[in-house]
Amino acid sequence: MLKEERLDYILKKLGVDNKVLSTQLSKLLKVSDDTVRRDLHELSIKGLIKKVHGGAIPKTSIPLNYNERSNYSEEEKHDIAKKALSLIKENQVIIIDGGTTALEVVRLMPIKFKATIFTNSLPVAMELTDYPNINLILLGGTVLKRSKVTIGLENINTLEGIRADLMLLGITSIHPEIGLTLTNWEESKVKKKMIEVSNKVIALATNDKLDRADNYFVCSYKDIDILILDKNIDPIKLESYQNKGVEVLY
């Protein structure tokens, strides 16, 4: 089998199984372990897969531009947002990061809702300006334009001084062993600090973000308290996220 055929086979198998094992590929392709390692390395360099111990998993396929993500999986985000809203109480100190699903939670909040909300999301902040009983703090810093969030040291320094009741965490990629990852290093540092200063972390993930990984680590899977998925989750995929110390709602 030619190299191009092997690479195509690996990508197709990843699309079906959401993971590949090096030992399995060696047998299926009838090539050496070294050949498989070189093939996986080439696909990783091209940004098509994420290498992990013993094999590979897909990189995120979610659009990185905020405007594109806003129109992505709208029904699923609404379903997740309704579940998340039921877990939020008035008069809490809440951190909301830049995920589009978190924005949907804000849009479902009653207009008279009372809370103190810290956010680095420009769209979330704009949405909350019409809420008379929200004490709104927009975290300052450099604007990451494609995600419409603020990042940087100023952002992190402000977070050092608070202890939030809960955080609504948007997810780009999540894996039960690898944890939560992102495509931007500075944004990953901000999310990490938000998690550290929150008593409870509620992660919001459409099902297509599961079993994927990107380059920059945010936190371990066990560092979140609640994972909210949409109701159409594949039962087989769901199993790997359950019974690991994280409450899973779907």
Side-chain angles (χ1 to χ4, degrees), residues 18-19 174-177 207 210-211 221 227 229-230 232-250:
N18 279 317
K19 65 178 180 180
I174 183 170
H175 190 282
E177 279 77 47
N207 298 334
L210 303 180
D211 297 343
Y221 177 55
L227 174 63
L229 307 171
D230 74 66
N232 298 316
I233 177 69
D234 183 339
I236 296 176
K237 184 177 289 190
L238 177 64
E239 285 182 9
S240 62
Y241 291 87
Q242 294 179 311
N243 303 314
K244 294 183 182 293
V246 176
E247 183 180 359
V248 181
L249 305 179
Y250 57 96

Side-chain angles (χ1 to χ4, degrees), residues 129-174:
T129 55
D130 293 327
Y131 286 63
N133 299 320
I134 294 289
N135 180 26
L136 175 63
I137 299 93
L138 175 62
L139 298 169
T142 302
V143 175
L144 184 59
K145 293 180 181 179
R146 64 170 174 77
S147 297
K148 298 189 178 181
V149 295
T150 58
I151 55 175
L153 188 59
E154 181 181 348
N155 208 315
I156 292 172
N157 286 342
T158 302
L159 290 166
E160 290 277 8
I162 71 171
R163 189 66 193 171
D165 294 299
L166 65 85
M167 176 192 179
L168 295 180
L169 172 65
I171 288 178
T172 299
S173 302
I174 183 170

Side-chain angles (χ1 to χ4, degrees), residues 45-59:
I45 291 297
K46 292 179 178 179
L48 299 174
I49 67 169
K50 175 67 175 178
K51 288 176 64 181
V52 296
H53 181 69
I57 61 176
K59 294 198 74 170

Side-chain angles (χ1 to χ4, degrees), residues 6 22 26 31-41:
R6 293 197 309 271
S22 298
S26 180
V31 294
S32 68
D33 291 341
D34 285 341
T35 297
V36 170
R37 279 194 290 270
R38 286 194 295 269
D39 287 347
L40 294 179
H41 179 71

Side-chain angles (χ1 to χ4, degrees), residues 12-193:
K12 287 180 179 177
K13 189 163 183 59
L14 266 177
V16 174
D17 298 339
N18 279 317
K19 65 178 180 180
V20 291
L21 300 175
S22 298
T23 53
Q24 182 188 49
L25 288 174
S26 180
K27 292 177 182 178
L28 291 171
L29 297 171
K30 298 180 181 179
V31 294
S32 68
D33 291 341
D34 285 341
T35 297
V36 170
R37 279 194 290 270
R38 286 194 295 269
D39 287 347
L40 294 179
H41 179 71
E42 181 170 339
L43 290 171
S44 176
I45 291 297
K46 292 179 178 179
L48 299 174
I49 67 169
K50 175 67 175 178
K51 288 176 64 181
V52 296
H53 181 69
I57 61 176
K59 294 198 74 170
T60 181
S61 60
I62 311 303
L64 298 179
N65 181 276
Y66 190 93
N67 292 333
E68 293 174 349
R69 285 189 285 121
S70 296
N71 300 317
Y72 194 88
S73 303
E74 292 180 88
E75 183 178 340
E76 290 85 351
K77 290 176 185 176
H78 186 76
D79 177 52
I80 292 168
K82 286 193 296 183
K83 296 186 183 79
L85 187 61
S86 69
L87 302 175
I88 299 173
K89 300 176 182 178
E90 287 199 311
N91 300 310
Q92 289 184 315
V93 175
I94 302 168
I95 295 175
I96 302 177
D97 82 342
T100 54
T101 308
L103 176 62
E104 185 64 20
V105 180
V106 170
R107 288 172 171 165
L108 293 178
M109 282 182 179
I111 192 66
K112 299 295 186 180
F113 193 83
K114 298 178 182 179
T116 295
I117 294 180
F118 289 80
T119 185
N120 68 330
S121 167
L122 303 182
V124 166
M126 287 300 297
E127 192 75 25
L128 289 172
T129 55
D130 293 327
Y131 286 63
N133 299 320
I134 294 289
N135 180 26
L136 175 63
I137 299 93
L138 175 62
L139 298 169
T142 302
V143 175
L144 184 59
K145 293 180 181 179
R146 64 170 174 77
S147 297
K148 298 189 178 181
V149 295
T150 58
I151 55 175
L153 188 59
E154 181 181 348
N155 208 315
I156 292 172
N157 286 342
T158 302
L159 290 166
E160 290 277 8
I162 71 171
R163 189 66 193 171
D165 294 299
L166 65 85
M167 176 192 179
L168 295 180
L169 172 65
I171 288 178
T172 299
S173 302
I174 183 170
H175 190 282
E177 279 77 47
I178 299 171
L180 282 65
T181 52
L182 267 179
T183 58
N184 182 276
W185 180 76
E186 285 192 274
E187 190 178 4
S188 73
K189 294 298 183 184
V190 173
K191 281 184 185 274
K192 185 178 180 65
K193 177 54 67 175

